[in-house]
Structures are given as C-alpha cells and as structure tokens.
Amino acid sequence: MFTHRSQALQTGDRILSINGTSTEHLMRSEIAALLDNAGNVVNLEIAYEASPDEEEDESGVLKKTAFLTLTRERNSFGFTISGGSKERRPITVSHVAVGSSAFRHGVLKAGDRVLQINGSDVTAVSQLEAVTLLQSSDDTCTLEIEYDITVHDELLESRGPLQVDLIKPKGASLGISLSGALHLGQPMYISKVKEAGIAERCGALHVRDQLVSINGVTLDNKTIRDAVRLLARSDFNVRLEIIPAHNLTIVPDLSQEEALSDTLSRLSDPHAPHLPGRQSQLSVTSSGSGGHHMLCHPETMRVQLKSDDIGFGLSLHGGVSGKRYRPIKIAVIEDGGPAALLVVPSRISRGGRSAPFKVFSLGPLML
C-alpha cells in the first residue's frame, strides 16, 4: 500500500516548544491546551538526532581486562558460555541471567571473552573443558575477562554539552559514583567509574564530567540523592546530559568529596559552570547491552504545521504525569496528514545503524 510520508517529521522527534512556549516540565493537559488554542497554524521547535553513516563513525574499540569473583547460588553462577578451540573462537559469555550472582556483580556482560577460570588459562581450551572448570569450582569462581570500551576520538574535539543514551537492564547499575550537590544549586560530577561497568564500556563518561540532566530532568535544583532516585527509576533507556571535564573552565577537586554510587549516589562542588538552555552538541547512543555505542549529532529545526479538517495529523506523548517527567515526543504521525506531508529541506538525513557483534547462545546449560 502506498504511504504518503515525507519523513520531515518522524516518531521519536522531541518537541522543544509549541508556538514559542517551552514544553519542559509541562503537564499533558497543558500540552493539549497549547495545541487546542493554536488555531489552524502551529509552530514547533523539533530536536532530532542525525546519526553518521557507519563508515563515517570514527569510534574504535579499546580492549581491557578485569578480574571478578562470583558466588554460586542454587548451583549456578548465573551465566552461559560458548565458543572454544573447536569452534576456533574465544570462550565467550553468551548470556547473564537477570538477578543472578553474575548480574548483581555488575561487571560480566554478554560478549565478554573469558581468559582465565580460577587461574587456569582457557584461551586455547574447548567449551566443554571450560564448562568442566566452572562446574568443578567450589562455592566461588574467579574469572579474568576481556571486554571492550568504545573509543570516540571525536569527543576530544567536542565543545559544549554531550548527550549519552545508555541501555540499563532493570535492576542493573550504570557503574558510576557521583559527588557534589550536597545543597541545591550546586553542580554534580562523576567521581568514579566502575571498571567494566556500563558507564566505562560506553567510553563517553569519565571522572570529573559534570552531570546536567537525567532523562530530560535538569539537575539545577536537585541533590545527589535526587539524582540517584532518578537513576534508580530508570530502567532500560537512560539519557544523560553531561559537560565533559575537558570543557569545564575549572576542574573540580573531588579528593575530599563524599560520594555515592549510582545504586545510591552523592555529588558536590560549586565551581564548574553550567550552560543553561543549550542543546547537546553531540550524543553517544548504545545499540544494545553488548556494549557498542555510536556518535549521534542532535539537531534542531523549526517547522510550521497547518491543520486540515481533522487536525495536525500527529499525536504526542510525554510530559509531567504524577511525579514523573518525560520529554514531549511525537508518538504517531497519521499517513496523509499535515505532519506526514510536511517538507523540510533543511533536515539532515539520518544514517543507518547496525548491530556490531553477535551474541552466541549455548542452550539451556546455566553455569
């Protein structure tokens, strides 16, 4: 069936303002009222992400190793492996069970390569031999793993805020500690990044980066404990806005700061500048729990929609609901409606995204 769609507006685009009124922290009823009172013409300010084509993505991968000790629970350490010498590829973690010892530890991820099991080198053994080593462990096993950190060379050249989109499974931790903002109005900083955690693997979060917002909620008038609660309520998709440390005019001294991890975290220092109202100039997006991240360039544009007999041809979601705020985004664009037919020559086309690595499954055996 032929679809009338110009692609000028797309679902997921964020609505920054309606007829000059900012949508930040508005109730859903207030958003509806703005559109109802707009008459036949509405002016929208849109934010969207222009992703580079895969061949233009300058991200690289840094390989690091880490040791971790897991405890056996219900006769399992909570992960499966695949690969081995017979398949001519490394022993690789293929699955980590949610809620298991391995999951709660917060380090082991699908795609990690296992180098040692209880001190024994497994880089040249079969899968069966590796499974035997794990099953013969006592109540604990110590692993040496190799994992990937995405390297974004372009970040060193970036100026202004940075948007980081992460995937955080329910109950998991990002692996950051925060310090600063013991009192309202003070900025917050990342004071520690956990080895092999979600934050370190993304390659965009570093010690002394200033945290500006979480899922669209600005931290100007929040304490560290407020930030921790926002992170704790964030399952699966987490969007952070930061000012990288190299863009701060005064580098905070966190040596004396009290800090909380993002499972329960804290931050403080009044020196670094906050850049209010600026759209993040660069973003880093995670394509999945495997750890691949790509650079995206947030762009903004202003459009004018003229209604037909039915309306503007789009539906929005988000806004303040109870104590929760979600950015206003386009949820539905009706085929053949004004929003679908809108032509905006200035919109930058978005490149395709591809999954970077495969996760191999072993079957039902949980180690």
Side-chain angles (χ1 to χ4, degrees), residues 235-289:
D235 290 327
F236 199 71
N237 293 310
V238 181
R239 171 166 289 183
L240 305 180
E241 184 178 3
I242 66 168
I243 301 176
H246 68 264
N247 284 337
L248 299 176
T249 56
I250 299 177
V251 178
D253 179 9
L254 304 179
S255 59
Q256 303 300 319
E257 297 290 347
E258 190 174 15
L260 293 174
S261 73
D262 74 295
T263 49
L264 271 161
S265 298
R266 218 181 259 192
L267 338 166
S268 113
D269 191 313
H271 298 303
H274 173 53
L275 307 180
R278 292 189 57 182
Q279 173 70 20
S280 297
Q281 296 179 354
L282 197 65
S283 76
V284 178
T285 300
S286 168
S287 66
S289 59

Side-chain angles (χ1 to χ4, degrees), residues 48-231:
Y48 64 96
E49 290 181 354
S51 304
D53 292 332
E54 185 178 3
E55 60 270 17
E56 295 176 352
D57 188 0
E58 298 179 1
S59 302
V61 173
L62 172 66
K63 298 184 185 299
K64 288 187 65 176
T65 60
F67 286 90
L68 64 148
T69 299
L70 302 176
T71 302
R72 190 192 301 272
E73 296 176 351
R74 298 178 183 177
N75 203 34
S76 171
F77 292 113
F79 69 97
T80 60
I81 58 173
S82 61
S85 57
K86 291 184 178 180
E87 297 185 37
R88 297 183 180 179
R89 56 186 179 86
I91 298 292
T92 303
V93 176
S94 54
H95 176 68
V96 178
V98 174
S100 67
S101 171
F103 179 87
R104 294 196 309 274
H105 191 281
V107 170
L108 199 64
K109 301 288 187 295
D112 290 348
R113 284 77 63 193
V114 181
L115 305 181
Q116 289 188 37
I117 299 175
N118 294 328
S120 297
D121 187 336
V122 295
T123 56
V125 305
S126 67
Q127 180 189 15
L128 179 59
E129 290 172 308
V131 169
T132 300
L133 281 172
L134 287 166
Q135 291 179 333
S136 64
S137 300
D138 295 326
D139 290 336
T140 62
C141 75
T142 299
L143 306 177
E144 182 186 13
I145 61 168
E146 180 184 67
Y147 62 98
D148 297 332
I149 297 176
T150 306
V151 178
H152 304 284
D153 294 332
E154 189 174 343
L155 295 188
L156 297 176
E157 306 296 329
S158 68
R159 292 293 178 266
L162 173 70
Q163 181 177 287
V164 182
D165 290 338
L166 299 167
I167 292 178
K168 181 177 79 73
K170 185 175 183 178
S173 164
L174 289 182
I176 59 175
S177 295
L178 308 175
S179 63
L182 295 177
H183 305 287
L184 295 180
Q186 293 182 329
M188 303 185 190
Y189 303 98
I190 296 175
S191 59
K192 184 178 180 181
V193 178
K194 182 178 181 179
E195 182 180 56
I198 295 173
E200 187 195 28
R201 291 171 186 253
C202 88
L205 299 174
H206 303 90
V207 171
R208 293 188 173 83
D209 289 347
Q210 181 183 341
L211 187 59
V212 176
S213 71
I214 298 172
N215 292 334
V217 178
T218 181
L219 302 180
D220 284 347
N221 294 305
K222 304 290 184 184
T223 65
I224 294 177
R225 292 188 180 278
D226 294 330
V228 171
R229 293 187 190 100
L230 287 171
L231 290 172

Side-chain angles (χ1 to χ4, degrees), residues 3-45:
T3 300
H4 296 283
R5 181 65 60 83
S6 71
Q7 304 297 322
L9 294 178
Q10 297 182 23
T11 56
D13 287 352
R14 182 177 173 185
I15 309 296
L16 302 181
S17 69
I18 299 174
N19 286 338
T21 301
S22 173
T23 61
E24 187 171 8
H25 302 308
L26 291 184
M27 303 284 290
R28 294 180 183 178
S29 58
E30 294 174 311
I31 298 294
L34 284 175
L35 291 174
D36 289 341
N37 296 329
N40 294 327
V41 178
V42 64
N43 294 289
L44 304 177
E45 183 180 7

